[in-house]
Amino acid sequence: MTILLLCLSFPPADLGYLAWVACIPWFILMVTEEKYICLYSLGIGAIFFIIQLSWLRHIAFIAWVLLSLYCSAYFLAFAFCTRYITTKLKLPFVIVVPCIWTAMEFVRSFLLSGFPWFFIGHTQYQYLPVIQIADITGVYGISLIIIMSNAAIADLLSLSFIRQRRTFFKLTCILPSVFLAISILYGFSWLRHYHPKEGPVVCMVQGNIPQDLKFESTEDDQLQILKKYTDLSESMQSTPIDLLVWPETMMPGILNIDSALTGRKIDLLSQLTATSLAQKLNTNLLLGGIALTFEGEEQVYFNSAYYYNRAGAFIDRYDKIHLVPFGEFTPLRNYFPFLGNLVPYEIGLTHGHSRIVFPLETLENEYFIFGASICYEDTVPSLIRKFKRDGVDFMLNITNDGWFRDSAELDQHLAIMVFRAVENRIPMARAANTGISSFVSPDGTIYDKLTDSAGKYREISGTLTNRIKFVKKYTPFYTLYGDWLAILCVATTGITLMIAIIKPRSVATREPA
């Protein structure tokens, strides 16, 4: 039952309210089952992640299985720590479970390059009053409250089995209600005072280039891609825009190196296109492409965002910092060459070293500063938080989710981006090759996304134009102090686990014979 309810809580089903009860059967099992709870928990995690990560099969079957098993190990660790601590220290689920769960989500967000996906707090992205507290706690605060509610109900239901837990009855009833009430009251208060201002006009270009065509492209295919994106861009010639954006790696040629050195026609045409497009449309450009540099005789490649001004002059470039393991680079490849078979690229990419902010002067003579994240970088809370502290007024995400075709990955990716906007009270907009190109306001509202006449929003082509909506610049608590709540949960879990290990006998002797 828990597997079904968890799956329905996340996109594409998007029944986020089910998350508030999804874990109850599992938690009751933790109380009543003595021998095989860790095995059951591993099975719950494995099946859940195999189902939810099914879009990975489009890239590599082995990666799908291995990542699912890796993530399910956190369910096993969660169950072990929960059962051990509650048994040894006789503490109620309502206190122990939320802390351990939040700690596990946080560790998974950065360990082994991190996989900050499928946090239970992400299920609430459509419920604006609930998620506003993320500007204090991050998404982890929402996860903690959801799990606390699940744990409280499980605790109450298990009272008929374990009578000594009646000493915690009041705490179990009151604690989640107080936390949820504070969160919702804060959310309604913030939304009541939310009055966004309109910023620059931004146009997202979505070409819907199939990944099979892009990945193993001939020169003719590259020319076709360039023409598709150029034609879509030029269709905006009669519309005044301040910034036009192409998704990740959609510029087929290399823009940062003399085309005479590469001898490739597509590089020359791409460079000429960037300059002429900016001049023809009288707009700034942000273009996703590959960058090439040389370190001695070695060629070094980056996944980059190129920025051009209205005159068509190149201004600056941002190189992606957080690369996807086994997607853009291979960890430990020098020691285990066979791992290279898991990488879809023939060449390995190198991570960037610094955040770059871009200046933007609008047609109305207003000045803004913005940053760009590439692909899954908008799922990394620390990176967007650092951009906010760098002084950006808004963030863009350029991505190519075409690897995953018409799957739920596109919806899940967008849901996560909502929390980056709320956490830092910063507007965000996305240009995606196959979707979902969209605009998100600082309160987490997805106020525009590209759809066709039939309402389809994945695997379509077109342009999406709207104004950035922003609030008066200020620095939220979360931007200043980051994942303080998650770190506190990790520390508390570690200390409690140590106490349970060190003093199991003394605790047990206090129990009546």
Side-chain angles (χ1 to χ4, degrees):
M1 182 62 73
T2 289
I3 298 170
L4 176 62
L5 293 176
L6 280 176
C7 289
L8 292 176
S9 300
F10 288 91
D14 253 349
L15 304 178
Y17 56 86
L18 293 178
W20 296 89
V21 296
C23 295
I24 293 174
W26 179 23
F27 291 170
I28 291 178
L29 192 64
M30 286 188 189
V31 176
T32 58
E33 174 60 43
E34 296 183 0
K35 293 183 178 180
Y36 303 110
I37 185 58
C38 288
L39 183 61
Y40 291 150
S41 299
L42 181 63
I44 290 170
I47 297 172
F48 168 72
F49 283 108
I50 285 173
I51 294 172
Q52 293 300 100
L53 287 170
S54 60
W55 36 264
L56 267 177
R57 72 187 187 278
H58 298 302
I59 296 181
F61 181 85
I62 186 65
W64 173 27
V65 174
L66 290 179
L67 183 58
S68 298
L69 292 176
Y70 166 73
C71 291
S72 65
Y74 286 90
F75 277 41
L76 185 153
F78 163 77
F80 172 80
C81 292
T82 298
R83 185 60 186 262
Y84 190 81
I85 291 172
T86 55
T87 300
K88 294 296 184 181
L89 301 184
K90 305 302 179 183
L91 294 174
F93 268 34
V94 75
I95 294 178
V96 176
V97 169
C99 188
I100 299 176
W101 183 282
T102 305
M104 291 297 171
E105 285 193 345
F106 178 63
V107 172
R108 181 158 61 86
S109 75
F110 65 84
L111 190 65
L112 301 178
S113 294
F115 186 63
W117 213 275
F118 299 116
F119 292 175
I120 201 163
H122 292 153
T123 62
Q124 305 302 297
Y125 76 100
Q126 298 181 92
Y127 307 131
L128 298 185
V130 175
I131 68 174
Q132 300 308 309
I133 202 170
D135 71 350
I136 298 175
T137 66
V139 67
Y140 301 106
I142 294 100
S143 289
L144 184 142
I145 296 173
I146 293 172
I147 292 300
M148 183 179 290
S149 300
N150 277 266
I153 298 173
D155 238 358
L156 294 173
L157 291 176
S158 64
L159 286 176
S160 58
F161 300 103
I162 305 179
R163 294 185 176 278
Q164 62 263 34
R165 287 177 179 261
R166 291 186 181 277
T167 56
F168 300 110
F169 180 79
K170 291 183 180 180
L171 182 67
T172 301
C173 292
I174 294 173
L175 197 61
S177 302
V178 170
F179 273 64
L180 181 58
I182 291 173
S183 175
I184 293 178
L185 287 174
Y186 176 81
F188 277 115
S189 176
W190 199 94
L191 292 171
R192 187 172 65 251
H193 295 92
Y194 171 63
H195 303 290
K197 299 180 180 179
E198 292 194 337
V201 178
V202 179
C203 176
M204 305 297 181
V205 183
Q206 182 172 308
N208 190 32
I209 304 299
Q211 190 60 31
D212 293 341
L213 175 65
K214 185 179 181 302
F215 184 52
E216 298 180 352
S217 57
T218 64
E219 184 175 276
D220 288 341
D221 294 332
Q222 293 174 336
L223 291 173
Q224 180 183 339
I225 294 170
L226 182 61
K227 184 178 186 303
K228 177 72 175 288
Y229 269 92
T230 301
D231 289 347
L232 284 170
S233 300
E234 290 181 346
S235 70
M236 302 301 299
Q237 193 165 357
S238 60
T239 304
I241 54 178
D242 299 310
L243 178 63
L244 184 133
V245 186
W246 285 15
E248 173 191 17
T249 67
M250 284 304 115
M251 180 57 77
I254 296 175
L255 300 179
N256 72 309
I257 197 167
D258 187 347
S259 59
L261 293 177
T262 64
R264 300 199 317 164
K265 178 183 177 182
I266 192 62
D267 294 336
L268 175 61
L269 290 176
S270 296
Q271 294 168 18
L272 293 175
T273 296
T275 299
S276 63
L277 197 59
Q279 295 172 346
K280 184 179 293 186
L281 299 180
N282 187 31
T283 188
N284 303 281
L285 302 178
L286 186 74
L287 307 174
I290 297 296
L292 169 64
T293 61
F294 294 92
E295 293 183 2
E297 296 183 355
E298 183 181 0
Q299 296 180 352
V300 181
Y301 293 88
F302 299 91
N303 189 350
S304 304
Y306 294 86
Y307 185 54
Y308 290 79
N309 65 14
R310 296 181 186 277
F314 170 70
I315 301 300
D316 211 338
R317 185 186 89 226
Y318 167 69
D319 298 327
K320 186 181 180 185
I321 296 174
H322 290 270
L323 299 179
V324 179
F326 301 108
E328 295 171 315
F329 78 103
T330 309
L332 305 177
R333 186 171 185 171
N334 292 336
Y335 301 98
F336 306 102
F338 70 91
L339 294 175
N341 297 327
L342 300 179
V343 181
Y345 290 100
E346 293 182 3
I347 60 172
L349 299 178
T350 301
H351 65 83
H353 299 285
S354 59
R355 300 179 303 278
I356 303 296
V357 298
F358 303 115
L360 176 65
E361 181 179 0
T362 71
L363 293 171
E364 299 172 349
N365 296 319
E366 295 181 308
Y367 292 88
F368 296 89
I369 297 175
F370 73 95
S373 62
I374 301 176
C375 190
Y376 286 174
E377 285 190 317
D378 61 341
T379 70
V380 181
S382 61
L383 179 66
I384 306 303
R385 190 172 71 247
K386 290 174 182 176
F387 268 111
K388 170 69 175 183
R389 295 177 69 171
D390 290 338
V392 298
D393 297 297
F394 64 95
M395 285 293 299
L396 298 179
N397 176 248
I398 58 174
T399 186
N400 174 27
D401 289 353
W403 293 99
F404 311 109
R405 305 180 186 177
D406 186 19
S407 74
E409 185 275 345
L410 283 68
D411 303 79
Q412 294 162 3
H413 193 179
L414 176 58
I416 296 173
M417 190 177 80
V418 166
F419 288 90
R420 302 295 87 83
V422 176
E423 288 166 350
N424 301 284
R425 296 305 180 189
I426 186 171
M428 298 190 70
R430 162 179 292 154
N433 173 39
T434 58
I436 308 168
S437 295
S438 52
F439 287 83
V440 179
S441 60
D443 69 337
T445 300
I446 304 171
Y447 62 92
D448 201 2
K449 64 182 180 182
L450 181 64
T451 58
D452 63 12
S453 57
K456 186 179 180 181
Y457 57 88
R458 298 187 299 220
E459 291 193 329
I460 62 170
S461 63
T463 59
L464 178 67
T465 304
N466 211 321
R467 284 188 176 272
I468 295 291
K469 294 183 178 181
F470 65 98
V471 293
K472 183 179 179 181
K473 185 181 292 187
Y474 76 101
T475 306
F477 188 90
Y478 179 80
T479 304
L480 289 173
Y481 300 103
D483 298 317
W484 64 271
L485 176 64
I487 294 171
L488 180 62
C489 287
V490 171
T492 303
T493 298
I495 292 171
T496 308
L497 187 59
M498 287 301 299
I499 293 173
I501 293 172
I502 293 171
K503 299 183 177 181
R505 293 179 181 272
S506 60
V507 172
T509 56
R510 295 190 185 101
E511 297 300 315

